[in-house]
Amino acid sequence: MSESCIFCRIIRGEIPSYKIYEDERTLAFLDINPSAPGHTLIIPKAHVTRVEDLSEEDAEALFRTLHRLVGGIQDAMEVPSSTIGINNGPESGQEVPHVHIHIIPRTRGDRGGIMQGLVRTTGRPSGEAMLDIAERIRERVG
Ligand code: AMP
Ligand code: ZN
């Protein structure tokens, strides 16, 4: 728990929210500045800033809640699709330092883009460069 964190304050009921779902480890509520109607945030009840710092239990619980809610959100908003994403760290645009999954309902013609279009810091790397990148990552996660 963090005293000042706005999402911790929502969990404690000090700030109102449009609650969608709650269980032992997670809470889901509407984003106050929605990109589309039904834009929902799912958060862990534990105050953790970044995905890599979540406990395995909270990581599992977040995805379980996502899986549980996404179809209902799409049905309720009468849309066929959604974009699901996490801004993980300030350089990615994270403003609230408490992990949250965005679920943004999507329709054709909503003028939204694709997540892969957010960033373009590289062209297509050579096969050799791809091997090197894969190896560097494997060394750290294996
Ligand atoms: P970001 O940290 O950039 O991934 O996004 C934070 C999100 O939290 C934004 O989409 C805000 O609209 C949303 N937000 C901030 N304060 C509240 C609040 N009190 N209730 C609901 N959503 C909020
Ligand atoms: Zn918090």
Side-chain angles (χ1 to χ4, degrees), residues 6-7 10 15-17 29-34 39 41 86-87 92-97 100 102:
I6 194 156
F7 288 173
I10 286 176
I15 295 179
S17 70
F29 52 92
L30 294 180
D31 193 298
I32 203 70
N33 184 22
H39 181 167
L41 302 176
I86 299 175
N87 295 319
S92 72
Q94 183 179 10
E95 289 185 351
V96 178
H100 48 284
H102 291 262

Side-chain angles (χ1 to χ4, degrees), residues 2-137:
S2 151
E3 277 302 312
S4 58
C5 169
I6 194 156
F7 288 173
C8 284
R9 296 189 68 197
I10 286 176
I11 293 165
R12 290 197 297 269
E14 294 168 10
I15 295 179
S17 70
Y18 297 94
K19 195 194 288 185
I20 303 276
Y21 173 81
E22 179 172 15
D23 61 25
E24 209 176 302
R25 289 186 176 272
T26 68
L27 176 68
F29 52 92
L30 294 180
D31 193 298
I32 203 70
N33 184 22
S35 301
H39 181 167
T40 297
L41 302 176
I42 304 173
I43 65 173
K45 288 187 172 173
H47 177 79
V48 176
T49 299
R50 301 179 67 118
V51 170
E52 57 270 40
D53 296 326
L54 287 167
S55 67
E56 268 187 37
E57 291 79 8
D58 280 338
E60 288 171 8
L62 282 169
F63 210 89
R64 198 173 308 119
T65 299
L66 170 64
H67 174 253
R68 184 172 186 139
L69 299 189
V70 65
I73 293 168
Q74 290 170 181
D75 285 354
M77 295 301 104
E78 299 180 341
V79 301
S81 302
S82 49
T83 289
I84 297 165
I86 299 175
N87 295 319
N88 195 44
E91 291 74 13
S92 72
Q94 183 179 10
E95 289 185 351
V96 178
H98 184 132
V99 172
H100 48 284
I101 303 175
H102 291 262
I103 303 173
I104 304 176
R106 298 295 305 268
T107 53
R108 265 188 212 289
D110 62 12
R111 297 193 298 137
I114 57 172
M115 281 194 286
Q116 307 92 296
L118 289 173
V119 183
R120 185 55 68 198
T121 59
T122 180
R124 180 176 286 231
S126 67
E128 201 181 333
M130 293 287 265
L131 281 172
D132 180 54
I133 290 166
E135 178 59 19
R136 280 168 55 185
I137 296 173

